[in-house]
């Protein structure tokens, strides 16, 4: 399911366009539906547990997205937005994936994480809005670094993060 932000502008518009293109490419390639979230928010509870959650509406959030339920991807953008000239900004965006490999390639005899990663990289490269220089983080403890998560058993899930740099964008761009 594609969860879209209403009337995105600026950074949210860059993410919105990439989210739609990545979703379309991967659901077509895999012939499977994914949960595709826009920019999500880092929340901290009273015990200082940090979670990533999708804003639904009226101060209502989805609950922690870092769980091994459903195949999904989501974005966060916690870094500063730096001004590069009079009208443009740039920042870093993190794109997270939690995917059940057996769901995506059920007939594959071995663990197909490299195949899935290649599919994702191709989709991200065609999504626009980001530079071609980025980092892929695959060690699952590093992927979610400071966030709270509980996986009873990570297998057959493949969790990874892509650290992206935006191309310069207008902070109030609506088209």
């Amino acid at each position: 399911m594609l969860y879209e932000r209403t009337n995105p502008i600026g950074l949210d518009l860059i993410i919105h366009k990439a989210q739609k293109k990545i979703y379309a490419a991967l659901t077509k390639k895999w012939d499977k539906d994914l949960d595709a979230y826009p920019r999500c928010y880092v929340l901290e509870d009273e015990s200082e547990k940090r979670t990533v959650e999708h804003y639904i509406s009226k101060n209502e959030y989805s609950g922690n997205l870092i769980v091994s339920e459903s195949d999904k991807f989501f974005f966060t953008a916690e870094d500063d937005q730096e001004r590069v000239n009079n009208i443009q900004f740039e920042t870093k965006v993190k794109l997270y994936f939690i995917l059940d490999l057996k769901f995506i390639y059920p007939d594959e005899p071995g663990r197909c994480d490299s195949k899935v990663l290649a599919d994702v990289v191709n989709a991200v490269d065609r999504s626009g809005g980001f530079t071609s220089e980025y980092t892929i983080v695959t060690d699952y403890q590093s992927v979610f670094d400071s966030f709270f998560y509980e996986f009873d058993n990570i297998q057959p899930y493949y969790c990874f993060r892509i650290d992206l740099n935006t191309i310069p964008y207008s902070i109030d761009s609506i088209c």
Side-chain angles (χ1 to χ4, degrees), residues 6-50:
T6 306
N7 301 319
I9 67 169
L11 176 60
D12 287 326
L13 182 60
I14 296 258
I15 292 172
H16 174 78
K17 289 178 178 180
Q19 172 200 10
K20 286 176 56 176
K21 288 180 181 178
I22 293 167
Y23 175 80
L26 294 178
T27 55
K28 181 180 179 184
K29 171 81 176 174
W30 298 334
D31 194 28
K32 307 283 184 197
D33 196 24
L34 305 169
D35 288 338
Y37 294 91
R39 178 168 59 107
C40 295
Y41 296 91
V42 176
L43 304 178
E44 189 172 300
D45 68 13
E46 59 280 346
S47 63
E48 298 182 12
K49 288 182 183 173
R50 292 170 35 102

Side-chain angles (χ1 to χ4, degrees), residues 47 142 147 150 161 164 167:
S47 63
S142 298
F147 298 123
E150 290 182 312
R161 182 183 82 221
L164 300 158
I167 59 171

Side-chain angles (χ1 to χ4, degrees), residues 7 13 19-20 34 46 48 63 75 88 90 93 97 103 110-111 115 129-130 138 141 143 147 153 166:
N7 301 319
L13 182 60
Q19 172 200 10
K20 286 176 56 176
L34 305 169
E46 59 280 346
E48 298 182 12
F75 298 82
Q88 293 181 310
E90 60 188 15
V93 172
F97 285 85
F103 171 78
R111 188 168 162 86
K115 190 173 183 177
F130 303 104
T138 56
Q141 291 178 333
V143 169
F147 298 123
N153 183 356
T166 64

